[in-house]
Every structure is written in structure tokens, then in C-alpha cells.
Amino acid sequence: MQRATRLQRELALLATEPPPGITCWQDGQRPQELRAQILGGADTPYEKGIFDLEIIVPERYPFEPPKIRFLTPIYHPNIDSAGRICLDVLKLPPKGAWRPSLNISTLLSSIQLLMAEPNPDDPLMADIVQYKYNKQLFLLRAREWTEKHAGQ
């Protein structure tokens, strides 16, 4: 019950006051499944890309974080080939920083920020760690993937 009420409030807020470059909506008849789109930020290798995400809201939400993954392939050191995201606010303490006061809008904004500023010290994709050592090569590959997979 708490999940449904909270989700309705959050979705209403996302519809009327979405964060810049982010949209989110309910996916079909299942209230626990959401979809989101994040526009790649200006001056990033993801610029002009549209990235689709899947959000599964657990029964215990907001006491448990939603599971969010990219459906659109993205070349990023903190996002793996299955679309899973390495971000502290998506995990419960003690390893994570999820708190019930956070919401889906905040999570999507955090993911958008991670896209703009990868964390090379906590890579999920070891082969993309060149972000730290060869940023030009990383930027080139990330732009290529964006054009190929997230182009409009």
C-alpha cells in the first residue's frame, strides 16, 4: 500500500516537474514497472543520445531501492553490458547510500550525473577503465556507441 501511494505521488511530480532531460512513466498495467529516458548531457560523449532505462520498484519501496538498469547499450566504466549501474544510492547500507528519503527523480538525476562524470575508481567494466588512462580513446568510443545505439 505504501509503495503504491508513494509511487503515484512521485510519478505525478515527475510528470509535472521532471528534472531537465529526464522523463519517467509507468510501463503498462504493472505499477511496479517503470520506464525512463535520459537525454545525454551537453558536452559529454552521450550528447544527443536518448537512453532508455527500466525501473523495477520492489515491494518494500521506499525502504529498499528500486532496481534500475539501462536498456540502451552505453559505453561507460560504471555501467555493464547488461545495463546494471554501479552507483552507491542504488544499494542498501552498509555498502550503499540508499535512504527512504530519496526518490526516483533523485536516482535518475544521480544516474544522469554519473553519465557526465564517470567514477574511474569504482569501475564495473574493467576494460573501459581507460577513462582514467586514455580519456581521448574513451570519449571516442563512447561517442561511437551513442551514435550507434542511442541516436535519434
Side-chain angles (χ1 to χ4, degrees), residues 95-117:
K95 291 184 178 182
W98 171 256
R99 296 183 316 277
S101 59
L102 296 174
N103 59 37
I104 291 167
S105 179
T106 305
L107 293 178
L108 292 170
S109 295
S110 297
I111 291 167
Q112 188 179 45
L113 182 62
L114 181 70
M115 288 170 68
E117 297 176 21

Side-chain angles (χ1 to χ4, degrees), residues 6-148:
R6 170 124 173 209
L7 267 179
Q8 289 308 320
R9 260 197 335 263
E10 287 190 37
L11 286 170
L13 190 62
L14 277 161
T16 56
E17 299 174 36
I22 294 173
T23 53
C24 184
W25 63 94
Q26 203 166 344
D27 187 31
Q29 299 302 313
R30 297 188 185 142
Q32 74 277 12
E33 290 184 23
L34 308 177
R35 290 284 186 265
Q37 281 187 334
I38 296 180
L39 301 179
D43 301 320
T44 74
Y46 311 108
E47 188 171 11
K48 297 185 180 147
I50 298 175
F51 297 88
D52 293 316
L53 293 92
E54 170 187 73
I55 304 167
I56 306 294
V57 183
E59 190 68 43
R60 293 196 59 238
Y61 183 78
F63 303 104
E64 223 176 272
K67 300 203 179 332
I68 303 178
R69 73 181 185 95
F70 276 81
L71 297 174
T72 305
I74 181 169
Y75 191 81
H76 193 286
N78 308 111
I79 303 164
D80 74 9
S81 56
R84 292 176 300 218
I85 306 161
C86 183
L87 187 62
D88 61 349
V89 292
L90 294 175
K91 295 181 221 139
L92 285 168
K95 291 184 178 182
W98 171 256
R99 296 183 316 277
S101 59
L102 296 174
N103 59 37
I104 291 167
S105 179
T106 305
L107 293 178
L108 292 170
S109 295
S110 297
I111 291 167
Q112 188 179 45
L113 182 62
L114 181 70
M115 288 170 68
E117 297 176 21
N119 179 0
D121 296 324
D122 191 17
L124 198 53
M125 296 295 287
D127 59 328
I128 303 179
V129 97
Q130 83 239 13
Y131 174 81
K132 195 171 182 173
Y133 306 105
N134 187 345
K135 196 164 180 181
Q136 289 312 109
L137 179 61
F138 165 78
L139 292 172
L140 176 71
R141 289 210 176 123
R143 278 190 203 100
E144 287 171 355
W145 275 52
T146 299
E147 287 172 23
K148 182 177 178 183

